[in-house]
Amino acid sequence: MAAAQRQTMLTVAAADQVDQFIAAKINTVILHSQTSSIQQFQLVAAQRELAAYIYQDTDLTRVALADVAGQEVMAVTQSGTANQLRNVSNSDGFRAASFLAGKEYISGVRFDQDNQPLITIAVPLVAFETRQSLANLSTAERGLIRNNGDIKGVLIADISLKNLWQSVLSAKLGKNGYAYVVDAQGKLIAHPDSALIKSTQDLSHTAQVAEFLQHPTATESPKINISEKGVTVLSAFHVVPHTGWAVIAEEPVSSIFAPVNHVFGLMVVILIISGIITVILSLLFSRRLTRPLSRLVAATAEISEGNLSTRLPVESSDEIGSLATRFNLMASNLQTLIANLKHEGTKLNIVLNSVGEGVVATDNNDHIILANIAAAVLAGGLPSDVSGKKFTDVFSLIKNNHPFSVDCTSSEVYNDIVYVSPNKRLHYLSISVNQIEDDPDGIKNIITLRDQTDERELELMKLDFVSMAAHELRTPITAIRGYLSLLSEDDQSVLSMGSKKFIERALSSTSQLVGLISNLLNVSKIERGTLNMVYAKIDWPTIVQDAIHDHEFSAMEKNIELRYEGTKNNVPLLADQVSIKEVINNLIANAIHYTDPGGHIIVSLEVTDTEIITKIKDDGIGIPANAVQRLFTKFYRVKGGIASGSGGTGLGLYISKSIVELHKGKIWVESEYGRGSTFIFSLPVYDEVQYIETTEKQMTGVNKRRGWVTKNITR
Ligand code: ADP
């Protein structure tokens, strides 16, 4: 470090300078003490000698010659011969030089009345018994060989240190560095601040002086210490060998680092200025950036509030300008999209509200999310009135005189549902539940309510008419049939064979008519729910075989094989014998009718744990696939083929289905067009408990047995 080197060099040089100064002064005093005039106390010559001596050396303030008793015999000063001659027998200098060791003496530093630093060098006047070459002896050696008898007097020189100090203390050490001198006891003897010399005598309490006192011969390399004035300094010292003093150099650390601090300060200033410039520039830049951004934020807010016509001005062709352009494009696309969506929504609403059927969308908890006008009208309000309410709370439904609720966990169609609207009007509904899978809008079901009240009323009117017409027709037709039967059976009749044939045909037609009328009456009873069933325990294989037997003739007539392949054992069944026999009659009659001559019909039974399954299988004309679905509906007949030409009514399968369902069974067909059909119906197996319950119920009701003629066997 440059400052440390500088300090070391300074202390070494200064200490050297002081040492040389002192050594030179001692030598000159010794030299003069050797002159013969002084040695022999030849006062005139001695005075000349000393005057010349003091004249040559301006550092000398006074030179005195004292005899062996310590009485000055002569003294000179810079201003001439001294007026006052002192007795110095008790002074340290005299004593040290003459008695104690007989060698030269260097006093400590003292200050005269003008505050000038002074030291005294006292040299004994030695008259050896034997001449010795003094030049070959060191001062110490010289002292050693002296003895008190050789000492004739003492030459005492007072030497001012003013010039020495000026030279030593003026040495430059950095900007604020300085040097000072302490004596061997740590007392301050020279300092650029002369006031400090007066006030501070002892500096041994400072670390740097204490260090010197501990190692009085060392040269201390620079260390950080605290100066007497309390300043943190870098200090070093070097010892003056002749005197044991130390030259100490100190330089405030702050001034050592001042250049660094200056550069640092400069850097800070540059940093602050560049920071300010950066802030100003970034403010300007950010204003340029934030203005369009805040416009963008405002425009976005406008758009989020629904003002889709908001657009941004495009002021530049940079990224911000391109952002504005893209924003405008996005806004216009959004506007178009939303307009389209609105349009679609309106279209959807129009469609939904123009549908005659009630449409309701429900969520997971069966709450109504959306309802069209037809559904709301049914519920006696507006769509908004029903929205959010539970479907079952809005539509209290009844089926078979019991409260009913649709199952929203599966897609299903429910018919014959009664609903009483808030204005007490009775509605007959067909309800279909359609499940929506994973709808993001939370729609779980679409429930369609088809109001069939008008159709049902019309149907009832038709039924009333049919029932009335059938009733009215039945009596005369029965009478006609009776008469025709009589005529055809009368062997005594005068009628020709041709006339008899006509009567036979008329009888056959009236039988068909009776069958039709009977069917019509039964249909109207089924529809109205007034068909009376008388349940009893019957043996099903017997009934089936009876029915086969009844049709054997007509099968034989068409050369069709009709056979039974079921069990002949007892299979009990709880059923209305008349009506259930009519079902099997009907199916066998159809099989014969729709099978070409040479065909085969097999009637079979299958009994499981829960069901008795009856199958009527033919290899006749079969049923087209598209007709199967409607086969069991009223008046439905397959178009074309034999069916359309035959005298059927299209009511047989409908009545059969109704009877099977009244017995809690199911009926269906498996058919292949051109290859034959298998009509199958299943009935629940006999249950004793149910038998008892049913017969008990029947005891209380009024039951009438009826005859069934669904199919005219002679057809
Ligand atoms: P219909 O009095 O016309 O026979 P049904 O209700 O008994 O009335 O039968 C309805 C229609 O079903 C018939 O017109 C016929 O087209 C068809 N059908 C019924 N049974 C059979 C069958 N075994 N084979 C082919 N078609 C049949």
Side-chain angles (χ1 to χ4, degrees), residues 46-65 72 74-86 112-113 118 156-159:
Q47 188 163 11
R48 266 203 311 271
E49 177 76 30
L50 291 181
Y53 174 31
I54 203 164
Y55 177 73
Q56 283 164 12
D57 189 347
T58 52
D59 292 324
L60 291 174
T61 58
R62 188 172 186 271
V63 183
L65 178 65
E72 287 182 351
M74 184 197 12
V76 289
T77 62
Q78 284 291 341
S79 50
T81 309
N83 297 329
Q84 266 191 331
L85 294 175
R86 306 169 200 151
D112 66 6
Q113 63 273 18
L118 291 174
I156 304 162
D158 291 336
I159 300 160

CSV table of all heavy atoms in Angstrom, one decimal, residues 46-65 72 74-86 112-113 118 156-159:
chain,number,residue,atom,x,y,z
A,46,ALA,N,40.6,30.1,24.4
A,46,ALA,CA,39.4,29.3,24.5
A,46,ALA,C,38.2,30.1,24.1
A,46,ALA,O,37.3,29.6,23.3
A,46,ALA,CB,39.3,28.8,25.9
A,47,GLN,N,38.2,31.3,24.5
A,47,GLN,CA,37.0,32.1,24.1
A,47,GLN,C,36.9,32.3,22.6
A,47,GLN,O,35.8,32.3,22.0
A,47,GLN,CB,37.0,33.5,24.8
A,47,GLN,CG,35.8,34.3,24.6
A,47,GLN,CD,35.6,35.4,25.6
A,47,GLN,OE1,36.5,35.8,26.4
A,47,GLN,NE2,34.4,35.9,25.6
A,48,ARG,N,38.1,32.6,22.0
A,48,ARG,CA,38.1,32.7,20.5
A,48,ARG,C,37.6,31.4,19.9
A,48,ARG,O,36.8,31.5,18.9
A,48,ARG,CB,39.5,33.0,20.1
A,48,ARG,CG,39.8,34.5,20.0
A,48,ARG,CD,41.0,34.8,19.0
A,48,ARG,NE,42.1,34.0,19.3
A,48,ARG,CZ,43.1,34.3,20.1
A,48,ARG,NH1,43.1,35.4,20.8
A,48,ARG,NH2,44.2,33.5,20.2
A,49,GLU,N,38.1,30.4,20.4
A,49,GLU,CA,37.7,29.1,19.9
A,49,GLU,C,36.2,28.8,19.9
A,49,GLU,O,35.6,28.5,18.9
A,49,GLU,CB,38.5,28.0,20.7
A,49,GLU,CG,38.1,26.6,20.3
A,49,GLU,CD,38.8,26.1,19.0
A,49,GLU,OE1,39.9,26.6,18.7
A,49,GLU,OE2,38.2,25.3,18.3
A,50,LEU,N,35.7,29.1,21.1
A,50,LEU,CA,34.2,28.9,21.3
A,50,LEU,C,33.4,29.9,20.5
A,50,LEU,O,32.3,29.5,20.0
A,50,LEU,CB,33.9,28.9,22.8
A,50,LEU,CG,34.4,27.8,23.6
A,50,LEU,CD1,34.0,27.9,25.1
A,50,LEU,CD2,33.9,26.4,23.1
A,51,ALA,N,33.9,31.1,20.4
A,51,ALA,CA,33.1,32.1,19.6
A,51,ALA,C,33.0,31.7,18.1
A,51,ALA,O,32.0,31.8,17.5
A,51,ALA,CB,33.8,33.5,19.8
A,52,ALA,N,34.2,31.2,17.7
A,52,ALA,CA,34.2,30.7,16.3
A,52,ALA,C,33.2,29.5,16.1
A,52,ALA,O,32.5,29.4,15.1
A,52,ALA,CB,35.6,30.3,15.9
A,53,TYR,N,33.3,28.7,17.1
A,53,TYR,CA,32.5,27.5,17.1
A,53,TYR,C,31.0,27.9,17.1
A,53,TYR,O,30.3,27.4,16.2
A,53,TYR,CB,32.8,26.7,18.4
A,53,TYR,CG,32.0,25.5,18.6
A,53,TYR,CD1,31.4,24.7,17.6
A,53,TYR,CD2,31.8,25.0,19.9
A,53,TYR,CE1,30.7,23.6,17.8
A,53,TYR,CE2,31.0,23.9,20.2
A,53,TYR,CZ,30.4,23.2,19.1
A,53,TYR,OH,29.6,22.1,19.4
A,54,ILE,N,30.6,28.8,17.9
A,54,ILE,CA,29.1,29.2,18.0
A,54,ILE,C,28.7,30.0,16.7
A,54,ILE,O,27.6,29.9,16.3
A,54,ILE,CB,28.8,29.9,19.3
A,54,ILE,CG1,27.3,29.8,19.6
A,54,ILE,CG2,29.3,31.4,19.3
A,54,ILE,CD1,27.0,30.1,21.1
A,55,TYR,N,29.7,30.7,16.2
A,55,TYR,CA,29.5,31.5,15.0
A,55,TYR,C,29.2,30.5,13.8
A,55,TYR,O,28.3,30.8,13.0
A,55,TYR,CB,30.7,32.4,14.7
A,55,TYR,CG,30.5,33.2,13.5
A,55,TYR,CD1,29.6,34.3,13.4
A,55,TYR,CD2,31.3,32.9,12.4
A,55,TYR,CE1,29.5,35.0,12.2
A,55,TYR,CE2,31.1,33.6,11.2
A,55,TYR,CZ,30.2,34.7,11.1
A,55,TYR,OH,30.1,35.4,10.0
A,56,GLN,N,29.9,29.4,13.8
A,56,GLN,CA,29.8,28.5,12.7
A,56,GLN,C,28.5,27.7,12.8
A,56,GLN,O,27.9,27.3,11.8
A,56,GLN,CB,31.0,27.5,12.6
A,56,GLN,CG,32.2,28.1,12.0
A,56,GLN,CD,33.5,27.3,12.3
A,56,GLN,OE1,33.4,26.2,12.8
A,56,GLN,NE2,34.6,27.9,12.1
A,57,ASP,N,28.1,27.4,14.0
A,57,ASP,CA,26.9,26.5,14.1
A,57,ASP,C,25.8,27.3,14.7
A,57,ASP,O,25.8,27.6,15.9
A,57,ASP,CB,27.3,25.3,15.0
A,57,ASP,CG,26.2,24.3,15.1
A,57,ASP,OD1,25.1,24.6,14.6
A,57,ASP,OD2,26.4,23.1,15.6
A,58,THR,N,24.9,27.7,13.9
A,58,THR,CA,23.8,28.6,14.4
A,58,THR,C,22.8,27.8,15.3
A,58,THR,O,21.9,28.4,15.9
A,58,THR,CB,23.0,29.1,13.2
A,58,THR,OG1,22.6,28.0,12.3
A,58,THR,CG2,23.8,30.1,12.4
A,59,ASP,N,22.9,26.5,15.3
A,59,ASP,CA,22.0,25.7,16.2
A,59,ASP,C,22.4,25.9,17.7
A,59,ASP,O,21.6,25.6,18.6
A,59,ASP,CB,22.0,24.2,15.9
A,59,ASP,CG,21.3,24.0,14.5
A,59,ASP,OD1,20.3,24.7,14.2
A,59,ASP,OD2,21.8,23.0,13.8
A,60,LEU,N,23.7,26.3,17.9
A,60,LEU,CA,24.2,26.5,19.3
A,60,LEU,C,23.6,27.8,19.8
A,60,LEU,O,23.6,28.8,19.2
A,60,LEU,CB,25.7,26.5,19.3
A,60,LEU,CG,26.4,25.2,18.9
A,60,LEU,CD1,27.9,25.5,18.8
A,60,LEU,CD2,26.1,24.2,20.0
A,61,THR,N,23.1,27.7,21.0
A,61,THR,CA,22.6,28.9,21.6
A,61,THR,C,23.6,29.4,22.7
A,61,THR,O,23.7,30.6,22.9
A,61,THR,CB,21.2,28.7,22.3
A,61,THR,OG1,21.3,27.7,23.2
A,61,THR,CG2,20.1,28.4,21.2
A,62,ARG,N,24.3,28.5,23.3
A,62,ARG,CA,25.2,28.9,24.4
A,62,ARG,C,26.2,27.7,24.5
A,62,ARG,O,25.8,26.6,24.5
A,62,ARG,CB,24.4,29.0,25.7
A,62,ARG,CG,25.3,29.6,26.8
A,62,ARG,CD,24.3,29.9,28.0
A,62,ARG,NE,24.9,30.6,29.1
A,62,ARG,CZ,25.5,30.0,30.1
A,62,ARG,NH1,25.6,28.7,30.2
A,62,ARG,NH2,26.1,30.7,31.1
A,63,VAL,N,27.5,28.1,24.6
A,63,VAL,CA,28.5,27.1,24.9
A,63,VAL,C,29.3,27.6,26.1
A,63,VAL,O,29.8,28.8,26.2
A,63,VAL,CB,29.5,26.9,23.7
A,63,VAL,CG1,30.5,25.8,24.0
A,63,VAL,CG2,28.7,26.6,22.5
A,64,ALA,N,29.4,26.8,27.2
A,64,ALA,CA,30.1,27.2,28.4
A,64,ALA,C,31.2,26.2,28.8
A,64,ALA,O,31.1,25.0,28.5
A,64,ALA,CB,29.1,27.3,29.5
A,65,LEU,N,32.2,26.8,29.4
A,65,LEU,CA,33.3,25.9,29.9
A,65,LEU,C,33.3,26.0,31.4
A,65,LEU,O,33.4,27.1,32.0
A,65,LEU,CB,34.7,26.5,29.3
A,65,LEU,CG,35.9,25.7,29.7
A,65,LEU,CD1,35.9,24.3,29.2
A,65,LEU,CD2,37.1,26.5,29.2
A,72,GLU,N,31.3,27.7,35.9
A,72,GLU,CA,31.6,28.1,34.5
A,72,GLU,C,32.7,29.2,34.6
A,72,GLU,O,32.6,30.1,35.4
A,72,GLU,CB,30.3,28.7,33.9
A,72,GLU,CG,29.3,27.6,33.5
A,72,GLU,CD,28.1,28.2,32.8
A,72,GLU,OE1,27.9,29.4,32.8
A,72,GLU,OE2,27.2,27.4,32.3
A,74,MET,N,33.8,30.4,31.6
A,74,MET,CA,33.6,31.2,30.4
A,74,MET,C,32.3,30.7,29.7
A,74,MET,O,32.1,29.5,29.7
A,74,MET,CB,34.8,31.0,29.5
A,74,MET,CG,34.7,31.9,28.3
A,74,MET,SD,35.8,31.5,26.9
A,74,MET,CE,36.4,29.9,27.3
A,75,ALA,N,31.6,31.6,29.0
A,75,ALA,CA,30.4,31.1,28.2
A,75,ALA,C,30.2,32.1,27.1
A,75,ALA,O,30.4,33.3,27.2
A,75,ALA,CB,29.2,31.1,29.1
A,76,VAL,N,29.8,31.5,25.9
A,76,VAL,CA,29.5,32.4,24.8
A,76,VAL,C,28.1,32.0,24.3
A,76,VAL,O,27.7,30.9,24.4
A,76,VAL,CB,30.5,32.2,23.6
A,76,VAL,CG1,31.9,32.8,24.0
A,76,VAL,CG2,30.7,30.7,23.2
A,77,THR,N,27.5,33.1,23.7
A,77,THR,CA,26.1,32.9,23.1
A,77,THR,C,26.2,33.4,21.7
A,77,THR,O,27.3,33.9,21.3
A,77,THR,CB,25.0,33.6,23.9
A,77,THR,OG1,25.4,35.0,23.8
A,77,THR,CG2,24.9,33.2,25.3
A,78,GLN,N,25.1,33.3,21.0
A,78,GLN,CA,25.1,33.8,19.6
A,78,GLN,C,25.3,35.3,19.6
A,78,GLN,O,25.8,35.8,18.6
A,78,GLN,CB,23.7,33.4,18.9
A,78,GLN,CG,23.6,32.0,18.5
A,78,GLN,CD,24.5,31.6,17.4
A,78,GLN,OE1,25.0,32.4,16.6
A,78,GLN,NE2,24.8,30.3,17.2
A,79,SER,N,24.9,35.9,20.7
A,79,SER,CA,25.1,37.4,20.7
A,79,SER,C,26.4,37.8,21.3
A,79,SER,O,26.6,39.0,21.6
A,79,SER,CB,23.9,38.0,21.4
A,79,SER,OG,23.7,37.4,22.7
A,80,GLY,N,27.3,36.9,21.6
A,80,GLY,CA,28.6,37.3,22.1
A,80,GLY,C,28.9,36.6,23.5
A,80,GLY,O,28.3,35.5,23.7
A,81,THR,N,29.8,37.2,24.2
A,81,THR,CA,30.2,36.6,25.5
A,81,THR,C,29.1,36.7,26.5
A,81,THR,O,28.4,37.7,26.6
A,81,THR,CB,31.4,37.3,26.1
A,81,THR,OG1,32.4,37.4,25.1
A,81,THR,CG2,32.0,36.6,27.3
A,82,ALA,N,28.8,35.6,27.1
A,82,ALA,CA,27.7,35.6,28.1
A,82,ALA,C,28.0,36.4,29.3
A,82,ALA,O,29.2,36.3,29.8
A,82,ALA,CB,27.3,34.1,28.5
A,83,ASN,N,27.1,37.1,29.8
A,83,ASN,CA,27.4,37.9,31.0
A,83,ASN,C,27.4,37.1,32.2
A,83,ASN,O,28.1,37.3,33.1
A,83,ASN,CB,26.3,39.0,31.1
A,83,ASN,CG,26.4,39.9,29.9
A,83,ASN,OD1,27.4,40.1,29.3
A,83,ASN,ND2,25.2,40.5,29.5
A,84,GLN,N,26.4,36.1,32.2
A,84,GLN,CA,26.3,35.4,33.4
A,84,GLN,C,27.0,34.0,33.4
A,84,GLN,O,26.8,33.3,32.4
A,84,GLN,CB,24.7,35.1,33.6
A,84,GLN,CG,24.1,36.1,34.5
A,84,GLN,CD,22.7,35.7,34.8
A,84,GLN,OE1,22.0,35.0,34.1
A,84,GLN,NE2,22.3,36.1,36.0
A,85,LEU,N,27.8,33.8,34.3
A,85,LEU,CA,28.4,32.5,34.4
A,85,LEU,C,27.8,31.8,35.6
A,85,LEU,O,27.6,32.4,36.7
A,85,LEU,CB,30.0,32.7,34.7
A,85,LEU,CG,30.7,33.3,33.5
A,85,LEU,CD1,32.2,33.6,33.8
A,85,LEU,CD2,30.7,32.4,32.3
A,86,ARG,N,27.5,30.5,35.4
A,86,ARG,CA,26.7,29.8,36.4
A,86,ARG,C,27.6,28.7,37.1
A,86,ARG,O,28.6,28.3,36.5
A,86,ARG,CB,25.5,29.1,35.8
A,86,ARG,CG,24.6,30.0,35.0
A,86,ARG,CD,23.7,29.1,34.2
A,86,ARG,NE,23.1,29.8,33.0
A,86,ARG,CZ,22.7,29.2,31.9
A,86,ARG,NH1,22.8,27.9,31.8
A,86,ARG,NH2,22.2,29.9,31.0
A,112,ASP,N,13.0,26.9,26.1
A,112,ASP,CA,13.4,28.1,26.8
A,112,ASP,C,12.2,29.1,26.9
A,112,ASP,O,11.1,28.7,26.6
A,112,ASP,CB,14.6,28.7,26.0
A,112,ASP,CG,14.2,29.2,24.6
A,112,ASP,OD1,13.0,29.2,24.3
A,112,ASP,OD2,15.1,29.6,23.8
A,113,GLN,N,12.6,30.4,27.3
A,113,GLN,CA,11.5,31.3,27.5
A,113,GLN,C,10.8,31.7,26.3
A,113,GLN,O,9.6,32.1,26.3
A,113,GLN,CB,12.0,32.6,28.2
A,113,GLN,CG,13.0,33.4,27.5
A,113,GLN,CD,14.5,32.9,27.7
A,113,GLN,OE1,14.7,31.8,28.2
A,113,GLN,NE2,15.5,33.7,27.4
A,118,LEU,N,15.2,22.9,23.2
A,118,LEU,CA,16.7,22.9,23.4
A,118,LEU,C,17.1,21.5,24.0
A,118,LEU,O,16.4,20.9,24.7
A,118,LEU,CB,17.1,23.9,24.4
A,118,LEU,CG,16.9,25.4,24.1
A,118,LEU,CD1,17.2,26.2,25.3
A,118,LEU,CD2,17.9,25.8,23.0
A,156,ILE,N,30.0,22.5,27.9
A,156,ILE,CA,28.6,22.4,27.9
A,156,ILE,C,28.0,23.2,26.7
A,156,ILE,O,28.2,24.4,26.7
A,156,ILE,CB,27.9,22.8,29.2
A,156,ILE,CG1,28.5,22.1,30.4
A,156,ILE,CG2,26.4,22.6,29.2
A,156,ILE,CD1,28.3,22.7,31.7
A,157,ALA,N,27.2,22.5,25.8
A,157,ALA,CA,26.6,23.2,24.7
A,157,ALA,C,25.1,23.1,24.7
A,157,ALA,O,24.6,22.0,24.8
A,157,ALA,CB,27.2,22.6,23.4
A,158,ASP,N,24.5,24.3,24.7
A,158,ASP,CA,23.0,24.2,24.5
A,158,ASP,C,22.7,24.3,23.0
A,158,ASP,O,23.1,25.3,22.4
A,158,ASP,CB,22.4,25.4,25.3
A,158,ASP,CG,22.5,25.3,26.8
A,158,ASP,OD1,22.7,24.1,27.2
A,158,ASP,OD2,22.5,26.3,27.5
A,159,ILE,N,21.9,23.4,22.6
A,159,ILE,CA,21.6,23.3,21.1
A,159,ILE,C,20.1,23.4,20.9
A,159,ILE,O,19.3,22.7,21.5
A,159,ILE,CB,22.1,22.0,20.5
A,159,ILE,CG1,23.7,21.9,20.8
A,159,ILE,CG2,21.8,21.8,19.0
A,159,ILE,CD1,24.2,20.5,20.7
